[in-house]
Amino acid sequence: MKILAIETSCDETACAIVEDGTKVLANVIYSQVKTHAATGGVVPEVAAREHVMKMLPVINQALDEAKSSWEDIEAIAVTKGPGLISSLIIGTQTASVIAYIKNKPLIPVQHITGHIYSNWLETEEEVQFPILILTVSGGHNELILMRDHHEFEILGETRDDAAGEAFDKVARILGLGYPGGPIISKMAEKGNRAAFKLPVIMLEKESLDFSFSGLKTAVLNEAKAYLAEHSNLSEKFQADLSASFEETAVTILNDKLFRALENYPEVKEIHLAGGVSANRRLREKVEETLRQRGEKITLRYPKSLSYCTDNAAMIGSSGYFMYKKNPERFLELRNVYPDASMEISA
Ligand code: KG4
Ligand code: ZN
């Protein structure tokens, strides 16, 4: 079954064609990152205007790349939220019009479930449940137990900043640009992870929630203390603080993940998903911990870096598995509105 999927929740205009939830026939992403780098973050009105300009060309390119026509497409999937409302409107309205004109089922997809399904893309073998999932993005950060397709139990979430947001803010403090994750990661390679002792904030003993605002403040205080004695931040200082911050953030994520695993020994797989799952040190640390503990658990993270950050292929995959569970829900649906709720629902 071929699904055409659309994603416009933030600053990527994306369209993909996915077959049977796993095979990616096209994955077109128009990134607005250069536009938003000028303002150091996404300005919603600017993002919406770019979506308007790029939505149809991106859809046409996806059809071309997949060598598919509208007759080959069996359903349309679209991100309904959460995200920027002005951005979501472009995707949901485009998908609704296509579903109506072409008379195809419409599948509204919750964005975070999209990130979760990024680990099914290009995966040939059966994924084994139950799965412990760490979703780490710019806008959200959760620990989730998934016992079957589209059955999610939230074990923990961020009480303040998400991990990706912390990377973005630290990059801004260090004057490194936007988006912060990839830049901090690159700087960190040249720095000393042990140069600064930053707080590993684990909250209450049993808690599976996250908090990154204290870590961000600690980075800010180090930068202020340095600037009190120097006219600007040296490259060595930027690299050492990037490396120490990355190590601390990754340690918090890793330790929470394994704290959760203690409660659910039946877990067969661990999945990392979302923009921060692109982080090399995070992948390495989780791999290391699994090895040290002698766990026979499969670790997955998205097969391509373009599946970690926002893309439409993951929306196509999530939509497919939702459709398969209950096609009647979508057969007559031709209109969907943005939904700002953060609730992770099918
Ligand atoms: O999943 P995503 O594209 O958007 C949301 O749904 O929020 O995640 C974007 C986030 C940004 O905060 C970015 O800084 C972070 O993912 N990111 C990374 C890396 N690549 C992207 N963070 C750490 N290391 C990376 N290599
Ligand atoms: Zn996302």
Side-chain angles (χ1 to χ4, degrees):
M1 175 184 187
K2 282 188 194 174
I3 291 184
L4 181 137
I6 292 174
E7 150 68 39
T8 63
S9 66
C10 188
D11 59 341
E12 263 94 21
T13 319
C15 178
I17 296 170
V18 180
E19 193 167 8
D20 298 336
T22 57
K23 200 162 171 231
V24 182
L25 305 180
N27 185 34
V28 181
I29 304 168
Y30 169 72
S31 168
Q32 306 175 357
V33 81
K34 282 205 185 102
T35 309
H36 301 301
T39 43
V42 180
V43 177
E45 173 68 12
V46 175
R49 283 168 191 243
E50 293 252 323
H51 286 311
V52 170
M53 303 296 287
K54 294 291 190 254
M55 187 77 266
L56 295 181
V58 160
I59 292 173
N60 286 331
Q61 193 182 332
L63 285 165
D64 279 355
E65 283 184 15
K67 297 188 179 53
S68 298
S69 67
W70 286 110
E71 286 67 50
D72 304 325
I73 305 294
E74 285 181 57
I76 313 293
V78 63
T79 305
K80 64 175 179 181
L84 302 171
I85 289 292
S86 46
S87 289
L88 289 165
I89 283 174
I90 315 301
T92 50
Q93 284 304 295
T94 306
S96 300
V97 170
I98 294 172
Y100 182 75
I101 292 175
K102 304 287 183 192
N103 198 25
K104 313 248 182 221
L106 182 59
I107 313 168
V109 175
Q110 207 272 5
H111 181 82
I112 304 168
T113 73
H115 279 297
I116 290 169
Y117 274 94
S118 62
N119 277 306
W120 269 259
L121 297 172
E122 301 299 347
T123 301
E124 276 160 26
E125 68 282 8
E126 267 299 281
V127 174
Q128 301 294 316
F129 295 102
I131 309 165
L132 182 60
I133 306 166
L134 175 69
T135 62
V136 269
S137 269
H140 50 88
N141 197 153
E142 291 93 10
L143 265 171
I144 296 168
L145 185 68
M146 188 176 179
R147 292 195 190 275
D148 201 348
H149 281 296
H150 282 284
E151 282 180 24
F152 309 111
E153 186 184 333
I154 313 294
L155 307 177
E157 57 201 338
T158 183
R159 294 194 187 162
D160 39 58
D161 294 349
E165 196 178 350
F167 272 86
D168 294 338
K169 286 178 178 169
V170 165
R172 198 180 304 170
I173 292 169
L174 295 179
L176 295 174
Y178 169 88
I183 310 174
I184 294 270
S185 216
K186 203 149 178 262
M187 278 307 273
E189 282 171 24
K190 297 184 271 181
N192 172 4
R193 288 178 204 153
F196 294 90
K197 192 151 175 39
L198 300 170
V200 179
I201 296 162
M202 291 296 284
L203 303 171
E204 306 81 31
K205 204 161 157 272
E206 302 290 318
S207 175
L208 296 176
D209 283 344
F210 301 87
S211 168
F212 287 101
S213 71
L215 174 57
K216 175 195 67 190
T217 307
V219 170
L220 181 64
N221 290 340
E222 292 291 353
K224 277 186 183 160
Y226 186 89
L227 283 174
E229 289 171 20
H230 304 81
S231 56
N232 51 15
L233 303 178
S234 71
E235 204 177 315
K236 181 174 180 333
F237 176 86
Q238 288 173 319
D240 283 347
L241 196 46
S242 293
S244 303
F245 161 75
E246 180 180 62
E247 190 61 18
T248 311
V250 162
T251 300
I252 295 171
L253 294 171
N254 181 70
D255 290 2
K256 287 278 173 179
L257 184 62
F258 284 93
R259 189 183 267 188
L261 188 64
E262 300 281 337
N263 299 346
Y264 302 96
E266 69 274 29
V267 159
K268 294 218 174 66
E269 301 201 358
I270 287 180
H271 292 187
L272 310 178
V276 185
S277 71
N279 188 278
R280 272 229 322 256
R281 185 64 192 136
L282 174 64
R283 295 174 174 190
E284 209 175 76
K285 189 121 187 157
V286 176
E287 261 158 22
E288 254 170 44
T289 314
L290 279 171
R291 210 176 317 116
Q292 278 165 9
R293 293 169 52 121
E295 299 278 6
K296 288 193 177 47
I297 292 178
T298 307
L299 171 65
R300 290 183 204 272
Y301 37 77
K303 294 234 164 29
S304 149
L305 283 184
S306 64
Y307 302 156
C308 294
T309 44
D310 289 348
N311 66 88
M314 67 186 196
I315 303 300
S317 178
S318 176
Y320 169 79
F321 286 103
M322 213 155 66
Y323 183 89
K324 243 183 73 174
K325 257 191 137 166
N326 192 357
E328 293 73 32
R329 259 181 81 189
F330 310 104
L331 285 174
E332 304 297 322
L333 195 64
R334 297 290 179 272
N335 202 2
V336 58
Y337 295 102
D339 174 358
S341 158
M342 285 296 285
E343 196 180 323
I344 300 179
S345 57

